[in-house]
Amino acid sequence: EFGHARVPQQFPSNPSLRNWVLIQQYQYKKFLNDDPSSSITADRIQLLNKVGFYWGSPGRRGRRYNQPWEKTYEELVSFVKEVGHARVPQQFPPNPSLGKWVIIQRRSYKKYLKGDSSSKMTEDRI
């Protein structure tokens, strides 16, 4: 009907949809931070990405504090092509969030290898 999957902050025709979107965005932020209390799964994220779900910051108009995993992965691929390795410095001025993201991925991978169910790592991401 609307041609996009971006639900506005004020959506009087379906306020429960807006609340659901806010919950997904919040759970996604927890997921990216490897928070075991996140209720969102990689499969759900993938489904939402397929419909163009907006992962932007709930409560902050126009600002995104998170982006889909695949987009950050592509930023890492570009980094590797440019410098020849994936050792992104934690403090990387051209892309400050990339170094932090890599640390989170490594931490999640270690948990995955140990069989820790709180890991958000999936076979597709390895």
Side-chain angles (χ1 to χ4, degrees):
E1 180 178 337
F2 297 100
H4 61 80
R6 195 169 180 163
V7 181
Q9 296 251 336
Q10 303 297 319
F11 194 57
S13 64
N14 193 343
S16 62
L17 175 62
R18 180 59 190 157
N19 290 337
W20 181 83
V21 166
L22 290 171
I23 291 167
Q24 303 317 300
Q25 291 171 333
Y26 178 70
Q27 293 300 322
Y28 181 68
K29 179 181 180 185
K30 290 167 64 173
F31 178 91
L32 289 181
N33 289 319
D34 214 19
D35 183 334
S37 70
S38 173
S39 62
I40 200 163
T41 65
D43 291 336
R44 287 181 183 173
I45 292 168
Q46 198 169 32
L47 288 171
L48 290 168
N49 283 339
K50 284 181 183 177
V51 297
F53 188 82
Y54 177 70
W55 295 107
S57 171
R60 294 184 188 171
R61 269 188 202 179
R63 287 187 56 196
R64 294 173 56 131
Y65 60 66
N66 288 319
Q67 58 187 337
W69 187 93
E70 291 80 8
K71 184 169 187 328
T72 311
Y73 173 77
E74 289 303 321
E75 292 172 3
L76 178 62
V77 169
S78 295
F79 177 88
V80 170
K81 285 179 183 174
E82 192 173 317
V83 299
H85 61 77
R87 296 180 304 274
V88 182
Q90 188 171 359
Q91 303 294 319
F92 184 57
N95 188 344
S97 62
L98 184 60
K100 294 173 187 162
W101 181 84
V102 168
I103 289 169
I104 290 167
Q105 300 314 302
R106 288 185 178 134
R107 187 179 307 142
S108 187
Y109 180 66
K110 287 177 186 175
K111 287 181 178 182
Y112 174 84
L113 289 177
K114 292 177 183 176
D116 186 334
S117 62
S118 72
S119 172
K120 305 300 180 189
M121 187 59 59
T122 64
E123 295 242 350
D124 292 341
R125 291 183 173 181
I126 297 175

